[in-house]
Amino acid sequence: MKFSHLIEINDPLNPLIDTLSREQLWRGLVMRAEMPKSFVPYLDKCTILEKSPLSLSRELHYGTLVVHDRVTFLPQEQVVYHVPAQNEIPESTLKMTIEEPEPNIFFVRFEYDDGASEAQDNAEAMYNDFRKSAYTESDIDTIRTIREMAEKGELG
């Protein structure tokens, strides 16, 4: 399943929404990788196995399910989550890219790819519709959490 969608961050026509700077948005996306329990309530535990300025290796615990992944950073632009194939989990990626079509007008593009073929996607169309909806809601929650962190002064 390949799936992509945009979430608008700064809307100049809506004065009720606080404007986020690129730095705040970026810091929030990085914090989602470094402290995922703040963004994923059903995550039991995250252990950072390796950390450099441009990447993280993590071990995520969801009950008895343990997932290893690698997160890479293109500073101020993109965060990429890569889950290699492991046990019953197929390889997948998630890219979060900051887009700025006009000065200080930000969007985040979320791109999912589970590596499935088009035939597999067609066979699982109803299930994939459910996953797309769940991913979209999770991504909206990510931006909501980043906004809350910015309001509390946690993003600089």
Side-chain angles (χ1 to χ4, degrees), residues 8 27 44-45 59 111-112 116 125 133 139 141 148 154:
E8 186 173 27
R27 183 68 192 132
D44 296 315
K45 177 181 167 187
E59 182 177 85
E111 297 176 87
Y112 293 86
S133 177
D139 298 337
D141 285 345
E148 290 171 358
E154 297 173 1

Side-chain angles (χ1 to χ4, degrees), residues 9-10 17-29 31-32 35 38-39 106 141-156:
I9 306 304
N10 294 336
I17 296 178
D18 290 335
T19 300
L20 294 178
S21 69
R22 178 180 285 271
E23 292 73 24
Q24 288 173 311
L25 181 56
W26 174 252
R27 183 68 192 132
L29 294 176
M31 287 178 80
R32 183 185 184 280
M35 301 184 318
S38 298
F39 293 84
F106 298 112
D141 285 345
T142 289
I143 299 304
R144 179 188 47 77
T145 301
I146 289 171
R147 287 190 177 287
E148 290 171 358
M149 291 174 153
E151 287 173 13
K152 294 177 188 173
E154 297 173 1
L155 302 178

Side-chain angles (χ1 to χ4, degrees), residues 58-89:
R58 311 181 304 172
E59 182 177 85
L60 306 155
H61 293 258
Y62 303 90
T64 58
L65 176 66
V66 177
V67 178
H68 289 86
D69 72 358
R70 182 161 196 78
V71 184
T72 56
F73 305 107
L74 180 58
Q76 302 293 321
E77 291 183 34
Q78 187 178 70
V79 178
V80 179
Y81 293 80
H82 178 254
V83 178
Q86 51 199 289
N87 301 321
E88 297 174 14
I89 300 170

Side-chain angles (χ1 to χ4, degrees), residues 41-131:
Y42 50 88
L43 176 64
D44 296 315
K45 177 181 167 187
C46 174
T47 304
I48 306 284
L49 303 173
E50 181 185 319
K51 184 175 181 178
S52 76
L54 299 178
S55 68
L56 297 172
S57 290
R58 311 181 304 172
E59 182 177 85
L60 306 155
H61 293 258
Y62 303 90
T64 58
L65 176 66
V66 177
V67 178
H68 289 86
D69 72 358
R70 182 161 196 78
V71 184
T72 56
F73 305 107
L74 180 58
Q76 302 293 321
E77 291 183 34
Q78 187 178 70
V79 178
V80 179
Y81 293 80
H82 178 254
V83 178
Q86 51 199 289
N87 301 321
E88 297 174 14
I89 300 170
E91 179 177 9
S92 63
T93 58
L94 164 59
K95 295 179 185 176
M96 298 178 185
T97 306
I98 298 173
E99 297 183 6
E100 187 177 7
E102 295 179 39
N104 297 313
I105 305 297
F106 298 112
F107 291 82
V108 176
R109 180 175 302 278
F110 294 85
E111 297 176 87
Y112 293 86
D113 185 350
D114 68 1
S117 68
E118 189 173 334
Q120 289 170 307
D121 284 348
N122 291 335
E124 298 178 356
M126 189 168 61
Y127 174 66
N128 286 340
D129 286 345
F130 173 77
R131 287 197 317 172

